[in-house]
Amino acid sequence: MLPILFLLAAGDTTGYWQQQVAYRITASLDEPSGVLTGHVRISYVNRSPDALHDFYVHQYLNAFRPGSRWAAVDSAEQRDRFQHLKDPDYAFERIRRATVMGESRLPDYPYAPDSTIAHWALPRPLAPGDSLVVEIDWQARLSTLPRRQGRQGRRFDFAQWYPKVVVYDKYGWEDHPLYPAGEFYGEFATYEVTLDLPEDQVIGATGVPVEGDPGWAHAKADPALEIDYQRDWYHGPRTTHQCGQVAPGRKCVRFHAEQVHHFAFSLNPAYVYEEGRYGDAVVRVLYLPQDRSTWGNGQAVGYTSLALAWLDSLYGKYRWPQLTNVHRIEGGGTEFPMMIMDGSASVGLIVHETGHQYTMGQLANNEWREGWLDEGFSDFQEGWFFEHHGAPPAYDALEPDVLGLDLERWSEPVSTVSEHFRDFVIYQEMVYTKAQLFYEQLRYVVGDETMRRILRTYFSRWNLKHVDEDAFRAVAEEVSRQDLKWLFGEWLHETPLIDYRLKRVERRRLPPPDGRWRTTVTIERKGDGRMPVEIGDRDTIYARASGEPAVERVDFITTRKPKRLMLDPRGRSHDYDMLNNREKRAFVGRGTVQWKLDDPTRETARRDRIVSGWLPVAWSNDFGGATLGLRNRSNYLGRYDRGLMIGSVAAGSDATGRFGFYSRWSNPIGHLVPRTETSVAAWAVEGRAGVQLSVDRSLRQHLGFGPDPHAGFDALWMATTNLGYVDRREWDDAGTVEGGPWVSTAFRRGGALVRARLAARGGVVYWNPGPGVVSASRYDVEGFGRFTGEASLRAPFWLGTTLGVRVFGGAYVGNSVPVPQRRIPIAGADPYETFTDPLLRSRGALFVRPDFFYHAPGNGNLRGFRSDLGGRWALTANLELTRSLWRGQGILREVAVMGFADGGLVDTMAVAAATPGRGYTPLYDGGVGLVTRQLVRDLGWTMRFELPLVVNRFEYAADVRLGEGRLAFRWQVSLSPSF
């Protein structure tokens, strides 16, 4: 009985119809010009219930040229591809002549200047059941810049190359221009394609070669191979001779295909041919001779057959006669009926593209309206394939990435029409990645076995038909016997956040003679989305909550007393805050912290716990002597609940204020603010105490392109508490309470990177002017303002060099002389900026010893001068020319040489004027340096070794050379880029 019910369900497509189309194409390729000249006869039967008054075809190749909507989007998203191509590099598809219902007429282009859609008004209405014939003469050329098609020398990847009938479905005509986001949609049709080609070309194509030589016998890797051409696969008169005579050096090859919605082919006289089989389907592989080690010896054939076997187990029997896998010009892969064009023979790529033979190919969705029905589906089956073959579940790596997009509110509804997404990056993340996660969530909700039955029923019912969300959901609900509208609604049409909290656990032993345990779990739903939530402990899943009510009680009975319980122990509900999922216990709370020895080269994050890493640290300075510390770094999901704490004790015999701490906390997961960094810091260490509040709001509109503007606000109290630690040239016995806004931006233009920042702070400064007549502890107080701005550019320059330019301006406004720590430094970072680094913080620290010359970049950045020099204002510029000498993949990533020059005008408070009475001092320096870039796991840094050979006011140089003047050998190092 069950098999009968299954067959009845599989055939339930009541009300479905699709148009009947047949193409008869003859085309000839002129290789030197790359132009293909063709004629197509399109037979069209109206199977819809509507009378048709129009007829449309796609001319997709016209997307890959200037003036198209594709090129316009590329320009808007700062991709340089087709908008600037010149003849003969751009693609085209030009209709020369056309007859529609026997009348000669040329089309109009409703989306002009885009010409990817051609339209005719029909001479008379086409009633339901009636047919028409359209004949078109056209020319086509692929672009030399490959994208889903392309040409390179004698290699041609022909896709979407002929006037292709626009689908007419329940929504009407799907006349839609081609954009970078979204792909294709076609009517199932019969194709008879006759190609006139150079005699030595080897061809791989949709369909079967019913006449002529595709070149496989000459190209086969194994001379003993008996090629199965499948010429009689479709039977009937298709094997009769129609090619006729061809010119010397040419050949005619005729292909036939049925129930496919596109015909693609690839040409290359150098192709090597291999063949295999899966079931009734022949597997053909065409690759380049130099790629034999990765494609040849049956490897690509084996991977393609393995993919078909896997897909057969998920969906059902492959319905077409063959599958051809060709090594295309472009990287990545693109799918067509009976054909995949791959940039490599990796098993993952082959499994993904072969998956499209089912989702997109035989289950033909509209790829621009509902791209998630094929791209996300194929990503899903690819992940399941690797899991089936022993790899970890794809969910574990996939879900945190999607969660990051959800939390930062980059996610958009997966069901969005492709070109309506914010940009191409978001389109890819939603249609591929988040859609894959949707299928994983469906698999979680219904279970593996039911998911397999859903896929097989879906394929059995809808193969070789157009599909949409309604078709797939109806099958999923029918097979699972669940109402899944909420799941499809939340995951495809909304972007909710899911969060559950384990509120209470009650355990009670049932009275004898039963003796079992009844456990009641109370769950609170805190997010606006929902998912079923498993309840379990370390070893066992006991129950599943529906996840729907705001507060839900779940009872279950067990033979043993459950251990400490947790919601979603397998991490499958997409709960963004798993820190509240555990049962509370006395003294340890929820126990959501993983303690570990910190690895400074690795940023470790977990999905279900805060990671807290501890590391002993040590440094020294003149006053505190050797200082021992313990550092703690913590985070949740790598971004939230971030903490940094350092406790220290100075071991110097004469030190006072030995104990110190610095703490910073940021981005609490319990108070989400998308695209915003919030932090609070407090400290009392090495003679300074303070508190800082910071907010950094990203105003970025696109992830993949465009500027990255930020706006923020900082509020700060900093005071000196023990002058024994500080360098009195840079710190006075003073404190400030200050705050103010800042804005910044960064953007790229081609290879150039531009950065800019403006900041303004105002507040009060208080200082002890020293012992007086009345009091030795008097503090003077006054208001002040501090303003800085900078802009920089790094761009490719002549002869492989990189040019760097930076300008800076800063000013201090106040009635009194600014205290040293708030002056505008001319050489680098100010004392507040270097304070958090114990190697720079206090007098005699490693990097600020009198015999060690270290440059901390920032402010005026006149790097040849002393770091303590500062005044009320400074206007400076920095110039660098860098030439890379070596790049590698180990710890040392790059070595470069650099020439630099810095100059500017500064306040005479910083450097006294050489000319009496002048209100400013001109300064400059210059030299050469070596720049290296290193990477150890997640820790990357830049190191500079510089020789400031020229310093005009040499008596103020950082590295003073007694007895020498403006030109001298001086050195300094840094662990940061100069700007």
Side-chain angles (χ1 to χ4, degrees):
M1 186 65 180
L2 284 176
I4 295 174
L5 290 175
F6 180 80
L7 289 172
L8 289 173
D12 184 14
T13 55
T14 304
Y16 175 80
W17 51 267
Q18 65 190 36
Q19 305 292 54
Q20 181 179 328
V21 182
Y23 297 86
R24 185 176 295 274
I25 297 173
T26 58
S28 177
L29 175 65
D30 178 63
E31 277 194 9
S33 66
V35 175
L36 182 142
T37 302
H39 174 85
V40 60
R41 177 185 172 90
I42 302 171
S43 302
Y44 187 92
V45 180
N46 181 14
R47 299 298 187 193
S48 80
D50 309 317
L52 305 183
H53 301 273
D54 302 277
F55 191 77
Y56 295 85
V57 297
H58 294 284
Q59 293 185 265
Y60 281 126
L61 287 184
N62 289 334
F64 310 112
R65 57 171 297 147
S68 68
R69 294 202 176 189
W70 179 303
V73 172
D74 276 351
S75 294
E77 299 191 8
Q78 299 175 17
R79 289 185 298 270
D80 187 2
R81 292 195 288 196
F82 304 103
Q83 60 268 47
H84 301 303
L85 287 185
K86 305 296 183 183
D87 195 10
D89 294 317
Y90 59 76
F92 65 71
E93 189 177 335
R94 297 169 181 163
I95 293 176
R96 298 300 189 185
R97 284 176 295 278
T99 60
V100 179
M101 291 181 161
E103 294 189 12
S104 178
R105 55 179 64 187
L106 290 174
D108 60 81
Y109 291 89
Y111 299 98
D114 181 279
S115 54
T116 55
I117 295 290
H119 163 261
W120 291 267
L122 293 180
R124 56 187 178 278
L126 186 68
D130 277 358
S131 63
L132 62 77
V133 172
V134 175
E135 298 200 49
I136 300 172
D137 293 331
W138 89 101
Q139 287 186 321
R141 184 179 69 191
L142 309 176
S143 64
T144 56
L145 178 65
R147 187 68 182 106
R148 301 177 184 165
Q149 49 75 46
R151 59 189 166 98
Q152 184 182 83
R154 299 195 66 199
R155 298 177 68 182
F156 297 85
D157 291 334
F158 274 94
Q160 313 296 342
W161 53 278
Y162 55 91
K164 180 178 178 180
V165 176
V166 170
V167 172
Y168 186 86
D169 60 15
K170 62 184 179 181
Y171 300 105
W173 286 106
E174 300 283 4
D175 52 316
H176 184 263
L178 186 61
Y179 296 87
E183 295 182 70
F184 310 107
Y185 187 36
E187 294 282 15
F188 283 96
T190 297
Y191 285 82
E192 190 83 16
V193 179
T194 303
L195 298 172
D196 183 337
L197 304 169
E199 191 173 31
D200 62 342
Q201 277 288 6
V202 181
I203 180 171
T206 300
V208 297
V210 294
E211 184 179 1
D213 176 19
W216 303 336
H218 174 72
K220 61 185 180 181
D222 179 6
L225 174 67
E226 292 290 334
I227 296 173
D228 185 352
Y229 289 94
Q230 300 178 292
R231 295 192 190 275
D232 295 321
W233 175 272
Y234 289 106
H235 310 294
R238 260 71 79 179
T239 56
T240 59
H241 295 286
Q242 297 181 13
C243 272
Q245 288 292 107
V246 294
R250 309 282 294 182
K251 67 179 176 183
C252 172
V253 187
R254 183 161 59 94
F255 283 84
H256 185 86
E258 295 180 6
Q259 293 184 306
V260 295
H261 44 78
H262 186 54
F263 183 95
F265 67 99
S266 178
L267 302 173
N268 188 346
Y271 270 146
V272 178
Y273 178 87
E274 292 190 11
E275 181 180 297
R277 179 178 289 276
Y278 175 74
D280 294 333
V282 173
V283 175
R284 310 187 194 280
V285 169
L286 296 162
Y287 62 89
L288 305 180
Q290 60 267 32
D291 295 319
R292 188 181 301 271
S293 62
T294 53
W295 283 76
N297 303 313
Q299 292 180 88
V301 169
Y303 291 156
T304 309
S305 301
L306 180 65
L308 283 173
W310 163 249
L311 294 159
D312 185 303
S313 74
L314 283 185
Y315 295 101
K317 184 179 179 181
Y318 183 70
R319 300 301 176 96
W320 291 326
Q322 62 92 13
L323 176 60
T324 297
N325 184 355
V326 303
H327 189 181
R328 72 175 185 174
I329 299 169
E330 187 183 5
T334 301
E335 66 282 356
F336 309 100
M338 295 193 222
M339 188 175 192
I340 55 177
M341 295 185 182
D342 289 328
S344 76
S346 70
V347 63
L349 179 62
I350 290 174
V351 169
H352 176 89
E353 299 302 338
T354 304
H356 283 304
Q357 297 301 304
Y358 286 80
T359 53
M360 186 288 298
Q362 296 163 95
L363 298 163
N365 62 298
N366 183 330
E367 292 186 274
W368 56 264
R369 189 187 295 278
E370 295 178 313
W372 58 272
L373 265 173
D374 65 292
E375 296 297 354
F377 228 143
S378 204
D379 273 356
F380 165 70
Q381 65 81 18
E382 179 191 346
W384 202 353
F385 167 86
F386 282 111
E387 181 182 340
H388 180 75
H389 287 84
Y395 188 100
D396 297 337
L398 172 73
E399 190 266 349
D401 291 341
V402 174
L403 182 63
L405 295 170
D406 290 347
L407 292 176
E408 294 303 298
R409 290 316 199 187
W410 288 110
S411 289
E412 299 180 22
V414 172
S415 62
T416 301
V417 173
S418 294
E419 74 270 16
H420 293 168
F421 282 105
R422 179 189 300 264
D423 52 47
F424 188 75
V425 170
I426 298 301
Y427 156 77
Q428 285 193 305
E429 293 290 349
M430 296 300 102
V431 168
Y432 289 74
T433 309
K434 190 167 184 179
Q436 178 185 357
L437 186 60
F438 158 71
Y439 293 108
E440 291 283 0
Q441 299 296 172
L442 175 60
R443 176 185 169 195
Y444 163 71
V445 169
V446 303
D448 282 11
E449 194 53 45
T450 300
M451 188 69 180
R452 286 179 176 273
R453 290 193 292 112
I454 289 171
L455 298 185
R456 294 187 73 81
T457 304
Y458 178 48
F459 182 70
S460 178
R461 180 176 301 175
W462 287 100
N463 75 88
L464 304 179
K465 298 179 180 66
H466 292 136
V467 294
D468 57 16
E469 177 188 338
D470 292 340
F472 179 60
R473 189 186 69 244
V475 171
E477 290 183 327
E478 176 187 305
V479 174
S480 68
R481 299 184 179 181
Q482 296 186 46
D483 181 352
L484 297 172
K485 294 179 183 63
W486 65 270
L487 182 71
F488 280 69
E490 289 194 3
W491 279 88
L492 300 178
H493 300 276
E494 301 172 9
T495 58
L497 295 177
I498 297 165
D499 182 27
Y500 293 95
R501 181 172 76 95
L502 198 160
K503 189 173 184 179
R504 186 182 308 110
V505 177
E506 303 164 84
R507 296 174 177 84
R508 183 168 61 88
R509 193 160 195 169
L510 298 176
D514 192 309
R516 293 180 298 170
W517 289 85
R518 178 188 295 277
T519 302
T520 302
V521 179
T522 304
I523 301 167
E524 179 183 1
R525 178 162 70 88
K526 301 185 68 178
D528 52 357
R530 66 183 176 103
M531 281 291 290
V533 185
E534 294 176 334
I535 304 168
D537 57 25
R538 185 179 303 173
D539 307 316
T540 307
I541 303 296
Y542 295 108
R544 179 181 282 200
S546 71
E548 183 176 0
V551 177
E552 184 173 4
R553 289 169 60 90
V554 178
D555 290 319
F556 58 89
I557 295 176
T558 56
T559 56
R560 63 175 176 86
K561 184 178 181 180
K563 300 175 186 176
R564 186 181 189 186
L565 294 179
M566 177 183 178
L567 301 180
D568 195 21
R570 296 193 300 144
R572 290 296 182 268
S573 69
H574 200 50
D575 186 331
Y576 75 83
D577 182 7
M578 295 187 71
L579 303 182
N580 57 14
N581 284 21
R582 285 179 168 80
E583 180 182 0
K584 286 185 177 180
R585 288 289 174 87
F587 307 111
V588 296
R590 295 190 187 272
T592 56
V593 180
Q594 175 191 345
W595 308 97
K596 66 187 289 289
L597 179 65
D598 193 24
D599 179 352
T601 69
R602 179 72 77 194
E603 183 75 37
T604 304
R606 281 191 56 166
R607 182 66 181 84
D608 62 337
R609 292 176 184 266
I610 290 175
V611 176
S612 181
W614 297 85
L615 184 70
V617 292
W619 62 88
S620 69
N621 55 66
D622 286 350
F623 191 71
T627 301
L628 302 178
L630 186 63
R631 188 188 75 174
N632 173 260
R633 290 192 305 163
S634 59
N635 78 84
Y636 177 56
L637 296 175
R639 166 165 164 71
Y640 302 98
D641 286 335
R642 293 186 68 90
L644 174 64
M645 293 185 291
I646 304 175
S648 61
V649 57
S653 59
D654 298 326
T656 58
R658 296 176 181 276
F659 297 98
F661 77 91
Y662 176 90
S663 298
R664 184 177 70 241
W665 303 270
S666 61
N667 301 340
I669 188 69
H671 300 279
L672 288 173
V673 185
R675 305 184 210 173
T676 302
E677 299 276 347
T678 58
S679 68
V680 57
W683 58 87
V685 61
E686 294 182 9
R688 278 141 294 190
V691 175
Q692 182 171 13
L693 302 174
S694 297
V695 177
D696 176 353
R697 171 70 172 175
S698 172
L699 304 177
R700 187 168 196 167
Q701 297 299 305
H702 301 279
L703 280 177
F705 67 95
D708 183 17
H710 288 247
F713 187 90
D714 296 323
L716 170 73
W717 166 62
M718 172 79 89
T720 54
T721 58
N722 189 330
L723 296 179
Y725 284 96
V726 301
D727 182 343
R728 293 306 301 272
R729 298 176 304 168
E730 299 186 15
W731 293 86
D732 204 348
D733 185 5
T736 64
V737 178
E738 60 189 80
W742 58 266
V743 293
S744 72
T745 190
F747 60 89
R748 289 189 177 274
R749 284 290 184 271
L753 173 62
V754 179
R755 299 179 186 274
R757 192 177 194 276
L758 294 172
R761 283 190 183 181
V764 295
V765 56
Y766 59 93
W767 71 96
N768 183 350
V773 175
V774 177
S775 172
S777 59
R778 189 192 89 196
Y779 278 86
D780 292 339
V781 180
E782 73 173 27
F784 75 97
R786 196 170 187 272
F787 309 92
T788 58
E790 63 179 285
S792 66
L793 164 72
R794 289 194 183 274
F797 201 55
W798 294 336
L799 303 176
T801 60
T802 298
L803 176 67
V805 180
R806 176 182 179 269
V807 293
F808 168 82
Y812 177 96
V813 179
N815 290 328
S816 301
V817 174
V819 295
Q821 55 263 47
R822 300 317 283 144
R823 294 173 184 172
I824 305 298
I826 70 167
D830 68 48
Y832 282 16
E833 292 168 329
T834 60
F835 165 76
T836 56
D837 187 343
L839 302 182
L840 294 169
R841 180 162 52 215
S842 298
R843 177 172 51 85
L846 177 63
F847 287 168
V848 291
R849 297 182 62 82
D851 56 349
F852 191 87
F853 307 106
Y854 184 87
H855 179 242
N859 294 289
N861 221 38
L862 304 180
R863 69 196 83 183
F865 291 86
R866 295 200 322 258
S867 61
D868 62 294
L869 301 175
R872 288 181 176 273
W873 61 270
L875 292 172
T876 64
N878 314 115
L879 180 67
E880 290 183 354
L881 197 63
T882 307
R883 178 71 161 84
S884 181
L885 300 178
W886 179 86
R887 287 186 173 94
Q889 294 298 315
I891 294 176
L892 181 62
R893 294 302 177 100
E894 184 179 12
V895 177
V897 292
M898 172 184 63
F900 64 88
D902 310 310
L905 303 177
V906 304
D907 185 15
T908 54
M909 180 186 298
V911 175
T915 303
R918 179 182 285 177
Y920 62 89
T921 302
L923 299 177
Y924 63 84
D925 62 50
V928 296
L930 188 70
V931 182
T932 62
R933 291 180 175 84
Q934 294 75 215
L935 180 66
V936 179
R937 295 180 178 174
D938 301 327
L939 178 64
W941 72 98
T942 296
M943 183 171 180
R944 292 181 286 128
F945 178 77
E946 295 174 336
L947 303 177
L949 301 175
V950 177
V951 178
N952 73 320
R953 295 295 296 274
F954 52 87
E955 68 273 26
Y956 294 96
D959 180 6
V960 175
R961 297 287 167 163
L962 297 177
E964 298 190 22
R966 183 174 304 176
L967 180 62
F969 179 86
R970 305 176 181 90
W971 67 271
Q972 64 188 28
V973 298
S974 180
L975 295 179
S976 301
S978 56
F979 57 85

